[in-house]
Amino acid sequence: MAETRKTKVLIIGSGPAGYTAGVYASRAMLEPILVQGIEPGGQLTTTTEVENWPGDTEVQGPDLMVRMEAHAKAMGCEIIGDIISDLDLSQRPFTAKGDSGTVYEADAVILATGARAKWLGLPSEDKFKGFGVSACATCDGFFYRGQEIVVIGGGNTAVEEALFLTNFASKVTLIHRRDELRAEKILIDRLMKSPKIEPLWHHVLDEVVGTDAPLGVEAVRVKHVDTGEITEIPAKGVFVAIGHAPANELVKDVLELHNGGYVSVKPGSTETSVPGVFAAGDLTDHKYRQAVTSAGMGCMAALDAERFLAEQGDAEVAPDAPVAVVG
Ligand code: FAD
Ligand code: NAP
């Protein structure tokens, strides 16, 4: 028989937003349950050095997320390895179903499901996914020692991935549809100084070319955005880094969304269009999409949830009392 777990606050997601919400909700004595999802630790587990997390000049993304998990746990947050497959927000208590069969009943929900890598949608990209086509350099870069690689995109992720891949590849071609990168200046500077990286401006990926047996990539065909001219570039690996889309599957038909799928929140808060449901991090933020802003919103969501539960009489906090003790 399926187990039912009741909680005052269910946190869905284990990136910086989710774990920070876990720290704050625990310190507010709300005994939260946090469900980690398919990617415990979130997007930062797919990168190496993080240089803009305050307090750490440089920290490895996966290490930072292990520390955040330990912090949330130490404060009393229950962390569960499960994936929420269905969420009913039509009435309180809200109900979430986990892949494990567990049903979670919650008086308030904090959504922190973040974002996932976008794909170009080419049939050849799909065909070679996992066999030469990847969206995670830190996961798959090691397989391309001494090989030529291409990276598609012009944002922070593409530039960081290209730089990281120089640890393995003989050459990295960064293919971008414009001639201007949207990455941070410090990263662009490193990219331009790298002898192994060659940018290819005004081009898009047209086709991934490879063998069927064994399945593997041999080259990419790229198209000039103005002339349409096709050029073939030898490559054993193709890293697609064209941005991330909000992971809104659980709520896209229920909550108000903005900018093509981000969960809307009231300005200056994390309240969604359903009272008692709060959203934090990349799921709601199309603009900043940083670890530190996600963590900040995770804090806000826990404080908003505490206030909401107090007003409903669901938490042992007087409605007029100041929200959670900070510090
Ligand atoms: P995410 O980190 O996206 O985490 C989402 C969580 O939700 C995951 O744990 C996932 O398992 C969970 N989840 C999703 N669906 C479900 C479900 N159905 N049930 C349960 N759980 C679910 N930012 C910086 O500030 N500095 C950097 O140096 C930096 N480097 C980056 C490098 C790369 C390669 C990438 C991709 C991003 C980088 N970012 C960086 C951006 C940063 O990682 C994100 O802004 C941040 O991780 C967003 O945090 P989040 O908590 O909103 O969500
Ligand atoms: P992003 O900033 O949205 O950049 C996506 C890039 O892909 C853009 O250059 C875009 O081109 C290009 N692109 C999009 N669709 C394309 C298509 N169909 N074909 C070809 N090119 C396409 O995404 P991101 O780099 O993944 O970054 C996401 C967020 O995470 C950002 O907020 C970023 O700051 C953050 N992040 C931060 C760090 C860091 O702080 N060090 C590292 C990684 C990520 P255009 O430029 O022409 O639009």
Side-chain angles (χ1 to χ4, degrees):
M1 208 176 110
E3 187 191 7
T4 299
R5 298 293 316 275
K6 294 184 187 202
T7 180
K8 289 188 187 114
V9 180
L10 176 67
I11 301 165
I12 306 177
S14 57
Y19 283 146
T20 307
V23 168
Y24 275 79
S26 301
R27 284 172 57 80
M29 313 301 276
L30 294 173
E31 300 170 348
I33 288 179
L34 182 153
V35 177
Q36 288 180 306
I38 201 164
E39 192 175 53
Q43 292 172 64
L44 281 190
T45 60
T46 69
T47 191
T48 49
E49 292 91 11
V50 174
E51 297 178 344
N52 49 18
W53 180 256
D56 286 306
T57 313
E58 184 182 305
V59 57
Q60 295 291 310
D63 291 347
L64 178 61
M65 296 320 297
V66 166
R67 278 165 39 196
M68 280 196 208
E69 176 179 353
H71 189 172
K73 220 183 251 174
M75 292 296 126
C77 183
E78 183 176 349
I79 293 172
I80 298 181
D82 200 355
I83 300 169
I84 301 300
S85 51
D86 191 50
L87 184 60
D88 182 355
L89 301 178
S90 60
Q91 57 180 15
R92 289 180 68 236
F94 305 117
T95 314
K97 285 192 189 126
D99 269 2
S100 64
T102 301
V103 174
Y104 303 88
E105 274 183 19
D107 297 319
V109 169
I110 294 176
L111 299 163
T113 50
R116 293 203 187 96
K118 280 196 221 164
W119 295 95
L120 289 160
L122 298 170
S124 58
E125 172 193 61
D126 206 35
K127 175 176 171 182
F128 291 105
K129 244 181 231 172
F131 296 90
V133 173
S134 168
C136 178
T138 44
C139 319
D140 300 327
F142 183 76
F143 300 118
Y144 301 96
R145 280 183 179 271
Q147 314 272 16
E148 294 187 29
I149 290 175
V150 299
V151 175
I152 320 290
N156 274 333
T157 302
V159 174
E160 279 194 345
E161 301 232 318
L163 287 164
F164 177 72
L165 288 166
T166 60
N167 291 319
F168 313 102
S170 56
K171 179 183 174 188
V172 179
T173 306
L174 181 85
I175 299 166
H176 183 36
R177 60 185 178 185
R178 298 187 291 136
D179 61 359
E180 197 185 339
L181 299 165
R182 64 169 68 231
E184 285 171 26
K185 293 210 167 23
I186 190 169
L187 294 175
I188 297 174
D189 194 47
R190 282 180 205 161
L191 180 99
M192 293 306 179
K193 283 183 182 149
S194 170
K196 280 193 180 177
I197 303 177
E198 191 177 301
L200 181 63
W201 307 121
H202 300 297
H203 279 78
V204 289
L205 183 64
D206 193 59
E207 191 184 351
V208 183
V209 184
T211 52
D212 282 343
L215 203 53
V217 172
E218 294 294 334
V220 288
R221 290 200 181 114
V222 294
K223 186 164 75 178
H224 194 285
V225 290
D226 299 325
T227 65
E229 190 187 344
I230 300 281
T231 309
E232 191 162 300
I233 302 173
K236 292 283 185 189
V238 180
F239 288 84
V240 179
I242 58 161
H244 288 74
N248 64 11
E249 297 80 7
L250 292 172
V251 295
K252 66 177 166 24
D253 300 324
V254 183
L255 297 182
E256 278 173 24
L257 306 175
H258 68 101
N259 284 80
Y262 293 85
V263 169
S264 298
V265 288
K266 285 190 191 146
S269 97
T270 59
E271 290 169 42
T272 70
S273 50
V274 171
V277 179
F278 305 89
D282 279 13
L283 175 66
T284 171
D285 172 23
H286 75 289
K287 193 172 173 191
Y288 302 105
R289 295 176 297 171
Q290 302 294 305
V292 68
T293 49
S294 298
M297 283 186 260
C299 154
M300 289 165 64
L303 297 179
D304 287 343
E306 184 195 10
R307 169 76 70 191
F308 169 82
L309 293 173
E311 282 168 3
Q312 303 296 314
D314 291 344
E316 290 157 15
V317 181
D320 294 332
V323 285
V325 185
V326 187

